Amino acid sequence: LKKGALIMMVANDPGHRWVNGTLGIVSNLSKDGISVAINRQVYNIEPVDFREQEATYINGKITYEDILVVKQYPLVLAYAITIHKSQGQTYQNIVCDIDRCFTNGQAYVALSRCASLNGLHLKRRITGSSIRVDRQVLDFYREQQNSDKLPFQ
């Protein structure tokens, strides 16, 4: 981590200034803290508690007990993230390499993160071997093509 580094916030801000997945640039780094520019506004980032909790059910009530608490700055370097980490997020621009997708639906998750085709940049050409589809999903859609009725009618 250094001044000018691209970062991604990994926790929602209670003050609603950023959310998990927001990108920023480190504007200052010192022993006293980290300042990050997000959308041209500089924020002093405070460490937060990340908690691992265990649920217990006692006398008809669920309670949660901390089993681990780690205090750290809620950011990570963001020059690249995995397809799985990007799931549920939207970006204006992405550079994507789906040549070695290894599980069903992974290519879809990667490609659908981008808000528009103009912001989508592929490192390699998409081929049939880049995309894996679950056999049950294929069978379902083939069955629908051969049927007059939709399954929910």
Side-chain angles (χ1 to χ4, degrees):
L1 195 61
K2 68 176 190 170
K3 186 175 179 179
L6 180 65
I7 58 92
M8 180 173 59
M9 303 306 293
V10 294
N12 294 337
D13 176 42
H16 306 288
R17 298 170 294 178
W18 60 80
V19 295
N20 183 8
T22 297
L23 297 175
I25 296 177
V26 175
S27 61
N28 191 29
L29 189 63
S30 71
K31 66 177 184 169
D32 298 323
I34 302 172
S35 297
V36 173
I38 298 173
N39 297 326
R40 298 186 181 154
Q41 179 74 34
V42 176
Y43 301 102
N44 292 320
I45 308 300
E46 299 293 326
V48 298
D49 289 341
F50 288 88
R51 299 174 181 282
E52 173 105 14
Q53 295 183 320
E54 187 173 85
T56 55
Y57 186 74
I58 301 172
N59 297 327
K61 293 186 180 183
I62 298 174
T63 61
Y64 297 91
E65 183 179 333
D66 289 342
I67 56 173
L68 174 70
V69 178
V70 177
K71 184 181 274 301
Q72 66 185 42
Y73 290 98
L75 53 85
V76 295
L77 285 172
Y79 289 102
I81 61 171
T82 65
I83 291 169
H84 288 92
K85 175 63 179 169
S86 73
Q87 193 163 2
Q89 299 176 3
T90 302
Y91 300 102
Q92 298 306 307
N93 294 287
I94 66 170
V95 176
C96 192
D97 183 359
I98 61 167
D99 188 50
R100 293 188 178 159
C101 287
F102 55 85
T103 192
N104 300 334
Q106 194 174 15
Y108 166 78
V109 170
L111 297 172
S112 65
R113 298 308 91 213
C114 200
S116 74
L117 287 176
N118 290 337
L120 177 61
H121 307 280
L122 298 173
K123 289 192 74 165
R124 293 188 180 97
R125 206 169 180 68
I126 297 175
T127 65
S129 64
S130 303
I131 299 171
R132 294 182 182 265
V133 180
D134 186 284
R135 173 65 53 200
Q136 288 180 314
V137 172
L138 279 177
D139 292 346
F140 172 81
Y141 281 106
R142 286 184 181 133
E143 193 176 295
Q144 301 318 303
Q145 289 175 341
N146 298 327
S147 173
D148 292 339
K149 285 188 158 192
L150 293 175
F152 49 83
Q153 287 183 323

